[in-house]
Amino acid sequence: MFKAFLIKYAEIAIKGKNRYIFEDALVDQIRHVLKEVDGEFSVVKERGRIYVYADSEFDYDETIEALKRVFGIFGICPTVVLEDKGYEELSKEVVAYVKEMYKDEPKTFKMDVRRAKKSYPMTSMEMNAQLGGDVLDSCPNMKVDVHEPDVMIHVEVRDKIYLYSEVIPGPGGMPVGTNGKAMLLLSGGIDSPVAGYMIAKRGVKIDAVYFHAPPYTSERAKQKVVDLAKLVAKYSGPIHLHVVNFTDIQLYIYEKCPHEELTIIMRRYMMKIAEEFAKKDGCLGLITGESIGQVASQTMHSLAATNEVCTMPVFRPVIGFDKQEIVDVALKINTYETSILPFEDCCTIFVAKHPVTKPNLKVIKRSEEKLQDKIEEMMIQAVETAETIVCE
Ligand code: ATP
Ligand code: MG
């Protein structure tokens, strides 16, 4: 029955010049997700509306699933497109539609006719009244409620006539690419994929860095991160994942610095290296999955010590979330099952029994002085030898 989808998007914040940037990015991202769906589609902007038209047979459920991953979409309306063959024919179609859609349960409804084609021989008011009456006459299930209807039956009269009543919720947010770019520190855990998703939802394009420590972390641990990046990319669009070989730096820190400070010092170098990639890729910030107090490296003191090396803003969208709240998002976006696969992470191997929870920055900096012979060189090496994987 449906051959088109009207895409509803939030219109606040897209007044004026920003509007076409927002709409173009939305159209691009819709085209991108539909590439994976069975069927041929065209996505068009028409007078302040975006429509997806199916140009062939298509898989309805897959189409909806794909559109539900496009940030910036507020609602997806499966739409019947009719040729204008006069009022009688239209009335028949509307009645048939209502019968088909609401045959099971009684519903209250309201007609909402918009007549963009001013040459149509009836006014919107007349059409509301007439069509409403025709539905009432033919569908004993349906009652009018103009204040709080269960369903709004929209009829838009343009060159063709568009009929829809269902609004399937989209993910909200802003189209990816309308708000610059940031670099996600992506581990194999639960938190960082969620963090990436949340920032992408605000229209930010993301790339990612993963610190790999072979042979302490396995190929499977790396594959898990690639898989997570692909899952996030279903929402964010392609992610360039930089896989950094971090083993030598970790071993060097392990050799030179007090073990209870390892995690903090290691995290400071991770941030510095991530920032190098961020600069190269034109990113304006870093993203981590840190949440206050979750582990020793995420106390306020530790976060402050880690943050001290960064010159770019660091976005921590799950900072105030409890674990369960993060898990809930991970389940919603389908990263959870992959995140809990039991492959070790480079941080878990080098953790001390009693890591500092209130690192003193002066003490940390003094420890880092012991690395000065080789660390700069090693960081350059780590950046230069990184492998970049396009995850989509
Ligand atoms: P996650 O669930 O995201 O792994 P976590 O609770 O395990 O987080 P940590 O291991 O302390 O917390 O890491 C905090 C943040 O640091 C992560 O959310 C991620 O952004 C970044 N991070 C940690 N390990 C790595 C890694 N190996 N590669 C890239 N980023 C990392
Ligand atoms: Mg982790």
Side-chain angles (χ1 to χ4, degrees):
M1 165 159 63
F2 299 112
K3 284 271 173 272
F5 299 89
L6 166 64
I7 304 299
K8 296 207 159 174
Y9 45 91
E11 293 191 23
I12 7 151
I14 55 161
K15 297 277 177 255
K17 204 174 83 190
N18 289 336
R19 187 179 178 108
Y20 82 90
I21 297 174
F22 183 103
E23 290 173 337
D24 288 352
L26 195 53
V27 168
D28 281 352
Q29 193 63 19
I30 291 172
R31 287 191 180 131
H32 177 73
V33 299
L34 288 177
K35 275 188 217 153
E36 275 186 29
V37 177
D38 239 346
E40 298 290 315
F41 300 92
S42 37
V43 184
V44 289
K45 266 197 324 187
E46 272 174 24
R47 307 187 210 191
R49 290 285 175 96
I50 291 173
Y51 285 95
V52 173
Y53 292 104
D55 301 329
S56 69
E57 292 295 306
F58 69 105
D59 185 318
Y60 179 87
D61 294 335
E62 269 185 30
T63 307
I64 297 292
E65 279 317 305
L67 293 173
K68 276 179 160 177
R69 296 194 309 262
V70 178
F71 297 133
I73 294 184
F74 164 79
I76 304 150
C77 310
T79 302
V80 177
V81 184
L82 303 167
E83 297 295 332
D84 178 8
K85 295 183 187 159
Y87 180 80
E88 289 307 314
E89 207 50 38
L90 173 63
S91 169
K92 273 190 210 157
E93 295 279 4
V94 171
V95 167
Y97 171 87
V98 172
K99 281 189 170 164
E100 173 63 27
M101 293 294 290
Y102 308 110
K103 54 179 177 259
D104 302 328
E105 273 173 76
K107 297 267 186 209
T108 59
F109 78 102
K110 179 182 175 181
M111 290 303 308
D112 174 41
V113 178
R114 285 189 205 182
R115 190 186 53 139
K117 185 179 169 184
K118 295 297 170 199
S119 62
Y120 199 83
M122 291 165 79
T123 67
S124 320
M125 296 272 276
E126 286 165 353
M127 291 178 79
N128 273 328
Q130 291 251 12
L131 286 172
D134 295 346
V135 168
L136 276 178
D137 289 344
S138 313
C139 312
N141 254 355
M142 306 296 286
K143 284 203 176 60
V144 172
D145 181 343
V146 291
H147 300 295
E148 277 183 62
D150 299 328
V151 288
M152 285 281 266
I153 301 170
H154 301 273
V155 176
E156 290 191 13
V157 183
R158 301 179 180 215
D159 288 334
K160 293 188 178 175
I161 299 176
Y162 299 83
L163 169 60
Y164 66 93
S165 59
E166 294 289 291
V167 185
I168 300 162
M174 316 262 284
V176 170
T178 54
N179 247 330
K181 191 164 159 189
M183 183 63 70
L184 170 65
L185 283 87
L186 182 61
S187 68
I190 297 169
D191 309 333
S192 42
V194 168
Y197 165 87
M198 288 177 72
I199 296 296
K201 184 165 186 271
R202 299 307 304 161
V204 179
K205 181 157 174 38
I206 54 179
D207 281 338
V209 193
Y210 164 58
F211 295 92
H212 189 39
Y216 303 96
T217 52
S218 64
E219 269 308 295
R220 291 174 76 190
K222 171 177 150 189
Q223 188 55 45
K224 175 181 166 183
V225 176
V226 171
D227 292 343
L228 284 170
K230 287 183 179 169
L231 290 170
V232 175
K234 283 182 174 287
Y235 296 88
S236 68
I239 294 175
H240 290 232
L241 173 69
H242 305 289
V243 179
V244 177
N245 187 328
F246 202 47
T247 314
D248 291 349
I249 293 179
Q250 273 192 309
L251 289 172
Y252 188 46
I253 300 172
Y254 193 76
E255 179 194 325
K256 298 281 183 185
C257 301
H259 289 185
E260 65 277 12
E261 293 170 13
L262 285 180
T263 307
I264 289 295
I265 294 174
M266 186 186 79
R267 294 195 57 72
R268 282 163 59 90
Y269 282 102
M270 279 188 179
M271 292 302 225
K272 281 196 199 186
I273 294 171
E275 218 179 70
E276 289 307 312
F277 285 102
K279 283 180 200 156
K280 277 193 177 183
D281 286 3
C283 295
L284 298 171
L286 302 176
I287 307 165
T288 75
E290 290 160 310
S291 148
I292 296 173
Q294 205 185 76
V295 287
S297 59
Q298 295 175 24
T299 63
M300 283 296 280
H301 295 78
S302 300
L303 287 167
T306 308
N307 203 73
E308 195 260 350
V309 298
C310 301
T311 61
M312 280 185 186
V314 181
F315 303 114
R316 300 176 172 89
V318 300
I319 196 75
F321 277 23
D322 295 342
K323 195 73 190 186
Q324 188 57 48
E325 292 172 300
I326 302 174
V327 167
D328 289 345
V329 182
L331 286 168
K332 186 178 89 178
I333 67 172
N334 197 31
T335 52
Y336 183 75
E337 290 299 324
T338 305
S339 288
I340 60 173
L341 294 173
F343 305 125
E344 65 304 317
D345 170 318
C346 66
C347 315
T348 50
I349 286 160
F350 293 93
V351 282
K353 278 215 181 68
H354 301 289
V356 284
T357 53
K358 288 190 181 179
N360 176 320
L361 204 49
K362 274 195 196 137
V363 176
I364 296 288
K365 285 187 169 177
R366 209 171 304 135
S367 300
E368 284 177 353
E369 280 170 19
K370 298 183 191 129
L371 303 171
Q372 67 191 355
D373 285 351
K374 279 166 52 182
I375 195 75
E376 289 301 323
E377 188 52 44
M378 291 174 96
M379 281 176 34
I380 293 170
Q381 175 85 4
V383 172
E384 282 177 355
T385 59
E387 174 195 7
T388 301
I389 302 171
V390 180
C391 301
E392 57 187 337

